[in-house]
């Protein structure tokens, strides 16, 4: 079992930065594929970034060059550094840990980009 708790969301002006954190409990966290998803109002949840040991990182085209996913396995924590934020980045951001066909989700953290 893995429990995930996101933090770091908030209100930021366009062009600003935020760093999201996802604290995980459970020994299997280091072995799972770790993802950040987001869901904007009226839209489907979409994959933002992924990191998996031995595979590397992947990003949605819309965030490439602006967002960076990283992990600290010693701290059981996943991060998403978000720079040059745009209003279209406004969404609830979810941390995800995937092992095989099993998904674990956090409760989400709201990110609002507005002047």
């Amino acid at each position: 079992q893995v429990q995930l708790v996101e933090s770091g969301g908030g209100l930021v002006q366009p062009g600003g930065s935020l760093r999201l954190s996802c604290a995980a409990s459970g020994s299997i966290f280091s072995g799972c594929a770790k993802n950040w998803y987001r869901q904007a109002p009226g839209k489907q949840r979409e994959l933002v970034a992924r990191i998996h040991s031995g595979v590397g990182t992947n990003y949605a085209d819309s965030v490439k060059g602006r967002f960076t996913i990283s992990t600290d396995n010693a701290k059981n924590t996943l991060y998403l550094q978000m720079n040059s934020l745009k209003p279209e980045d406004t969404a609830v951001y979810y941390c995800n840990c995937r092992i095989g066909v099993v998904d674990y989700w956090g409760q989400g953290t709201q990110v609002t980009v507005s002047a």
Side-chain angles (χ1 to χ4, degrees):
Q1 279 282 28
V2 177
Q3 292 185 326
L4 306 171
V5 179
E6 300 98 334
S7 62
L11 173 65
V12 63
Q13 292 187 342
S17 298
L18 283 174
R19 188 175 82 154
L20 305 183
S21 298
C22 173
S25 63
S27 60
I28 61 175
F29 181 70
S30 62
C32 67
K34 304 170 187 65
N35 308 287
W36 284 101
Y37 283 78
R38 67 185 181 188
Q39 187 166 19
K43 295 187 176 181
Q44 289 190 333
R45 192 172 295 189
E46 63 172 350
L47 178 65
V48 175
R50 167 176 294 158
I51 186 167
H52 193 19
S53 60
V55 177
T57 59
N58 295 97
Y59 297 91
D61 287 343
S62 58
V63 307
K64 278 181 182 176
R66 300 188 298 121
F67 290 11
T68 303
I69 188 171
S70 62
T71 184
D72 186 336
N73 286 329
K75 295 182 178 180
N76 264 12
T77 303
L78 178 68
Y79 303 99
L80 184 68
Q81 178 66 43
M82 306 186 294
N83 299 328
S84 302
L85 283 161
K86 304 175 181 180
E88 51 263 43
D89 295 318
T90 295
V92 178
Y93 284 71
Y94 297 90
C95 173
N96 167 270
C97 166
R98 179 168 299 135
I99 301 176
V101 298
V102 179
D103 278 306
Y104 300 93
W105 294 94
Q107 82 289 350
T109 185
Q110 175 70 47
V111 171
T112 302
V113 185
S114 175

